[in-house]
Amino acid sequence: MTSTASTESHPAEPVAGSAAGPVVGPAAKAVTEHAAEPVAEPVAEPVTAGSRRPGYVVADPTARRRAGLLRRHRDFRMLWIGETANKYGSAVTGLALPLIAVSTLHASTFQVGLLGAAGWLPWLLIGLPAGVWVDRLRARPIMLTATAISLVLYATVPLAALAGTLTLWHLLAVALLAGAAGVFFQTAYTAYLPQLLDPADQPEGNAKLHGSASAAGIVGLGSGGLIAQLAGPVNGLLANTATFLLSLWCTARIGHHETGRADRPRRALRKEIGEGLRLLGSDVWFRTFTLFGAASNLVLTGYQSLLVVFLIREVGIAEGTVGLLVGLASTGGIVGAAFARRIAARLGTSRAMLMLELFLPALTVLIPLTGRGLGLAWYLIGGFGASAGVVAGNVIKSTFQQRYCPPELLGRLSASGAVLNFGSIPLGAVLAGFLGTELGVRPAMWLMTIGVPLAALILWCSPMRRVRELPTERRPLDTAGQPATLVCAG
């Protein structure tokens, strides 16, 4: 929920077929990632103290199955705590920025749409080279640098407000630059997790990360709305200081030693970008998820970028209530993360994806019916369904990508897909702002939410409808080290 797929502009839930997918949450801060095959988790071989994963010492396979991942894997625990803190601060930011624009700077509907677009525009501008650089460098230093930059940028907003110099251009600049930092963070994070966890642990790891991100988002939205009501929306950004510092500390304490990349041959930047694009275009599964993610993010971001304006100006509810409502609707993400693996085990990963991404998010068409009093239930039902479907889909699709993509191409695949997936986000925000200005906010909400189930028809028309399971074997490389061309049977 948007995936994603951010947040410091890196999705709380990163988008289809790549590191990212459809976005769900205020100001399109949650984004869809892509995973799969969490069915029967095979028992991995015991890992000894001399393995490549420090802090991951297990006596035997049965002990590994009994102990939870957070208990037995220190490095994953540090990553999980840091990411949960980061997502909390990002949720506060995702609500605070549009609230500041609406209530403090009295921004127009179109300007609020531009603010939502600014955070995702960097994916179009630097997404492709970022994937190459992540594959060339170590991921953890990139994550640390990106988090530190976002911390400094968000801290300038309350300082400018205190000095009486805060403007809409300042907010747009912060959203744009923090979005650029988010491009590197999200791409590095997607490439880092498979190094940290064994394949057998990746479904559980993805489920825990997505579930905690949803929970942190709910708490962040609720507390952000309360802070906005009691002390003003600008003070909501102060929560980012402590949460981003905690995220930095936890990420810095991860003991896992990444495999060296200095000895990998470096070719021209354009050629390495082309490898990621060829992999994306030649594989039917990556191609399907990417097209679906781009279409879904366009409409999901569209209605989310109007949500604050819609609830405050059209429905007429208080600023503090906005965070509470969005937080309640986002509990669907916790439910989706909790049940994703069970649904996939029962139905098969491919069929589960169809059900989760087609039927549950279709409830968003109820959101424009929202009114005061009992009419708020329409938003809660629609938002809950969208959150549950998108987050559960993220858990399945993330594991699929991590298992299926060649590790040496994961950064480039993630960035190549994210350019299309996240690149549609600013377009959706600008389109929604334009429609809201020309037609009115409620008619624009109708157009955007109706597009959600229509986007999911891309999955229905793909080979997913004819198979029970997504592929589980690693996609091969040819003898030259390039992605082999595969043809989907059926």
Side-chain angles (χ1 to χ4, degrees), residues 41 51 60 64 66 84 104 107 115 128 137 172-173 177 242 273 304 364 367-368 406 413 435 442 449 454:
E41 297 184 13
S51 74
D60 59 71
R64 286 192 57 183
R66 287 195 300 269
T84 302
T104 303
L115 184 61
L128 292 175
L137 305 172
L172 288 170
L177 294 174
I273 289 174
Q304 290 167 44
T364 55
I367 292 177
L413 172 73
L435 293 175
R442 197 178 292 266
T449 55
L454 293 179

Side-chain angles (χ1 to χ4, degrees), residues 232-246:
V234 173
N235 292 321
L237 291 182
L238 294 177
N240 281 22
T241 303
T243 55
F244 283 172
L245 284 174
L246 177 59

Side-chain angles (χ1 to χ4, degrees), residues 394-411:
N394 287 348
V395 173
I396 298 174
K397 288 174 283 187
S398 296
T399 307
F400 165 71
Q401 176 175 293
Q402 292 159 6
R403 290 183 174 184
Y404 186 59
C405 177
E408 58 269 39
L409 291 174
L410 190 55

Side-chain angles (χ1 to χ4, degrees), residues 271-363:
K271 185 173 182 179
E272 293 197 43
I273 289 174
E275 291 176 0
L277 292 174
R278 280 194 298 274
L279 175 59
L280 192 65
S282 64
D283 188 281
V284 66
W285 304 107
F286 291 145
R287 187 169 63 246
T288 296
F289 286 145
T290 301
L291 293 175
F292 162 64
S296 295
N297 284 340
L298 180 74
V299 289
L300 286 169
T301 305
Y303 93 75
Q304 290 167 44
S305 64
L306 295 175
L307 188 59
V308 171
V309 178
F310 174 70
L311 292 176
I312 293 178
R313 295 179 180 171
E314 291 287 321
V315 181
I317 63 176
E319 293 175 359
T321 310
V322 172
L324 177 61
L325 280 174
V326 178
L328 288 174
S330 298
T331 56
I334 299 178
V335 176
F339 287 94
R341 289 188 294 161
R342 299 181 188 179
I343 295 172
R346 180 175 294 273
L347 301 180
T349 51
S350 184
R351 294 175 183 174
M353 275 293 304
L354 285 175
M355 186 198 78
L356 293 169
E357 298 284 16
L358 179 59
F359 297 110
L360 287 179
L363 293 173

Side-chain angles (χ1 to χ4, degrees), residues 106-466:
H106 308 291
S108 67
T109 301
F110 183 72
Q111 289 172 329
V112 174
L114 285 178
L115 184 61
W120 301 100
L121 183 60
W123 284 101
L124 286 174
L125 301 178
I126 60 172
L128 292 175
V132 175
W133 291 327
V134 166
D135 279 339
R136 289 178 176 180
L137 305 172
R138 298 183 189 275
R140 190 162 65 102
I142 296 176
M143 295 162 60
L144 288 168
T145 303
T147 303
I149 291 173
S150 296
L151 167 62
V152 172
L153 287 169
Y154 288 132
T156 66
V157 175
L159 291 176
L162 184 64
T165 60
L166 182 63
T167 64
L168 182 64
W169 288 109
H170 187 145
L171 288 185
L172 288 170
V174 168
L176 183 68
L177 294 174
V183 170
F184 285 95
F185 183 96
Q186 182 63 38
T187 305
Y189 173 81
T190 303
Y192 185 64
L193 187 62
Q195 297 184 47
L196 196 65
L197 297 180
D198 284 331
D201 288 327
Q202 289 172 12
E204 181 183 355
N206 284 313
K208 281 183 165 53
L209 287 169
H210 288 295
S212 64
S214 296
I218 293 168
V219 177
L221 289 168
S223 61
L226 182 61
I227 293 172
Q229 192 171 33
L230 297 179
V234 173
N235 292 321
L237 291 182
L238 294 177
N240 281 22
T241 303
T243 55
F244 283 172
L245 284 174
L246 177 59
S247 177
L248 280 170
W249 182 79
C250 290
T251 305
R253 286 181 57 83
I254 294 175
H256 167 65
H257 179 70
E258 296 182 65
T259 55
R261 303 189 181 193
D263 55 343
R264 297 183 184 179
R266 295 188 180 183
R267 300 177 298 279
L269 182 65
R270 182 179 300 178
K271 185 173 182 179
E272 293 197 43
I273 289 174
E275 291 176 0
L277 292 174
R278 280 194 298 274
L279 175 59
L280 192 65
S282 64
D283 188 281
V284 66
W285 304 107
F286 291 145
R287 187 169 63 246
T288 296
F289 286 145
T290 301
L291 293 175
F292 162 64
S296 295
N297 284 340
L298 180 74
V299 289
L300 286 169
T301 305
Y303 93 75
Q304 290 167 44
S305 64
L306 295 175
L307 188 59
V308 171
V309 178
F310 174 70
L311 292 176
I312 293 178
R313 295 179 180 171
E314 291 287 321
V315 181
I317 63 176
E319 293 175 359
T321 310
V322 172
L324 177 61
L325 280 174
V326 178
L328 288 174
S330 298
T331 56
I334 299 178
V335 176
F339 287 94
R341 289 188 294 161
R342 299 181 188 179
I343 295 172
R346 180 175 294 273
L347 301 180
T349 51
S350 184
R351 294 175 183 174
M353 275 293 304
L354 285 175
M355 186 198 78
L356 293 169
E357 298 284 16
L358 179 59
F359 297 110
L360 287 179
L363 293 173
T364 55
V365 298
L366 301 176
I367 292 177
L369 297 172
T370 303
R372 295 180 65 88
L374 293 177
L376 295 176
W378 294 118
Y379 169 70
L380 293 175
I381 295 171
F384 184 93
S387 298
V390 169
V391 172
N394 287 348
V395 173
I396 298 174
K397 288 174 283 187
S398 296
T399 307
F400 165 71
Q401 176 175 293
Q402 292 159 6
R403 290 183 174 184
Y404 186 59
C405 177
E408 58 269 39
L409 291 174
L410 190 55
R412 275 165 281 176
L413 172 73
S414 169
S416 298
V419 165
L420 295 175
N421 285 302
F422 295 159
S424 68
I425 290 176
L427 299 179
V430 172
L431 176 61
F434 173 78
L435 293 175
T437 301
E438 297 297 319
L439 304 178
V441 176
R442 197 178 292 266
M445 290 287 286
W446 276 112
L447 291 173
M448 293 292 105
T449 55
I450 288 173
V452 174
L454 293 179
L457 292 179
I458 294 174
L459 297 180
W460 180 258
C461 296
S462 75
M464 291 181 64
R465 185 161 49 94
R466 298 190 291 272

